[in-house]
Amino acid sequence: MARQSRTQFAILGFLASEPATGYEIRKQLGDIATIWYESYGQIYPTLKRLTKEGLATRATSSGAKGSDKYTYTITDKGHEFLKKWLEEPVQFTPVRHELGLRIYFAKHSTKEVLISQLGRFKEVLNEAKEFNTSLHKKYVLDKEPLISSDHAYMTISEGKYIIDAKLAWCEEMLEHLQGKI
Amino acid sequence: MARQSRTQFAILGFLASEPATGYEIRKQLGDIATIWYESYGQIYPTLKRLTKEGLATRATSSGAKGSDKYTYTITDKGHEFLKKWLEEPVQFTPVRHELGLRIYFAKHSTKEVLISQLGRFKEVLNEAKEFNTSLHKKYVLDKEPLISSDHAYMTISEGKYIIDAKLAWCEEMLEHLQGKI
DNA sequence: TAGCCCATGTAATTGGTTACATGATTGA
DNA sequence: TCAATCATGTAACCAATTACATGGGCTA
């Protein structure tokens, strides 16, 4: 079976909440950068295709003069298409964990390199943790502990679990490595 | 800057330990399926290219008659190329966490669907946990707690940390969701 | 003799990134 | 006036997957 673009679902998912421009979709994607990424080079062509296929409609909401701005709205067909996808089980997706591969092959390099890789990873994780905390403040704080409809909370929570686990692992490895010079 | 194939490094990493055929590399990749995946359609052409570029050499070790079998050996140049890569910091890699996306957009579906997705995810995680445990038995048990050169241990340990974190998160989410019908 | 593992490869297709191009508006 | 943000898009490129094709050897 042929793969199908997942970009379309990322886009429709946002459009399902409210109409948006390609630029706005990209901005919203920034909030879930920990789970999903899309480039403009993928967003604009896909929006065009979705319109052609009747999954979204496009309206010109030109700002003042000249500069065009297109707002996309999801159609019923688009909604159904999204809902169907949401119900589907996640297909096998090839894993490519680059740092993991480097660590696995680290025996072909030096211990110092390994420690430096782990140190760098820790930094990245701490940045991710900060980012996740800022999202937590933005979307969860001062709300109910868990409202079942609050799916952003679930995403943020997952991020916390995973980042903390990676940090713990990272620190354990560093401790062992540095303790044995 | 143009992206560069990571397949070549996955291949060279294995060849750095011992010469192997494309088929054998694929088999070894099976053990680290949790961190890296390669298809035959990528392995064989890459091996050919590596040979052409002097990063590996190819020897025909034909089994008996007819059926050809090619064993690849890493060259000094290949070794250096690998070592250099091992030292490089991990570049930004676009994230595509499909279940995460489905959960984030779950408000456009039903609670039942969300629970079912999480349940399915839990199953997958338990399978991964089992697999990781089997690797632990295969590569770590009856050895020192952590020999600094034992990088397989690090990989397996990371797997454990992450799988457990995901399972914990998954169960917390299910509890809350199921407790509020 | 059927099925599984060993073993190598190619062709078609595409999803996706990167880099480039262009211009308006806003605020320090 | 300079930088950042808003805003849309295309062209070139390629890494990678999927499906297909082929055949030997072993064993239950």
Side-chain angles (χ1 to χ4, degrees), chain A residues 4-18:
Chain A
Q4 64 183 334
S5 162
R6 289 112 96 227
T7 298
Q8 58 189 339
F9 299 114
I11 290 175
L12 288 173
F14 285 113
L15 292 185
S17 291
E18 51 176 347

Side-chain angles (χ1 to χ4, degrees), chain A residues 98, chain B residues 1-6 8-9 85 88 91-92:
Chain A
E98 212 176 304
Chain B
M1 214 196 323
R3 284 158 296 159
Q4 65 184 332
S5 161
R6 286 113 97 227
Q8 58 189 338
F9 300 113
W85 178 74
E88 277 168 27
Q91 299 294 309
F92 161 76

Side-chain angles (χ1 to χ4, degrees), chain B residues 99 118-131 162-171:
Chain B
L99 181 82
L118 284 170
R120 213 147 32 198
F121 186 44
K122 222 176 105 176
E123 273 175 49
V124 172
L125 286 171
N126 277 318
E127 274 167 43
K129 197 179 165 73
E130 243 178 79
F131 179 69
I162 290 174
I163 292 166
D164 285 346
K166 285 181 180 174
L167 270 174
W169 168 77
C170 211
E171 265 149 34

Side-chain angles (χ1 to χ4, degrees), chain A residues 20-85:
Chain A
T21 67
Y23 190 81
E24 285 164 354
I25 288 170
R26 176 75 206 270
K27 241 180 52 185
Q28 291 180 77
L29 275 160
D31 272 354
I32 55 163
T34 32
I35 57 165
W36 207 262
Y37 171 83
E38 291 293 345
S39 61
Y40 284 124
Q42 196 71 347
I43 291 172
Y44 287 114
T46 303
L47 278 169
K48 201 175 262 182
R49 210 201 71 221
L50 290 175
T51 308
K52 207 175 69 191
E53 290 173 2
L55 302 168
T57 56
R58 164 170 146 164
T60 310
S61 53
S62 54
K65 61 200 147 193
S67 68
D68 284 331
K69 192 175 151 183
Y70 306 110
T71 301
Y72 294 85
T73 306
I74 196 169
T75 63
D76 286 348
K77 199 176 155 191
H79 231 110
E80 262 174 61
F81 189 59
L82 173 67
K83 270 188 84 170
K84 219 178 126 193
W85 178 74

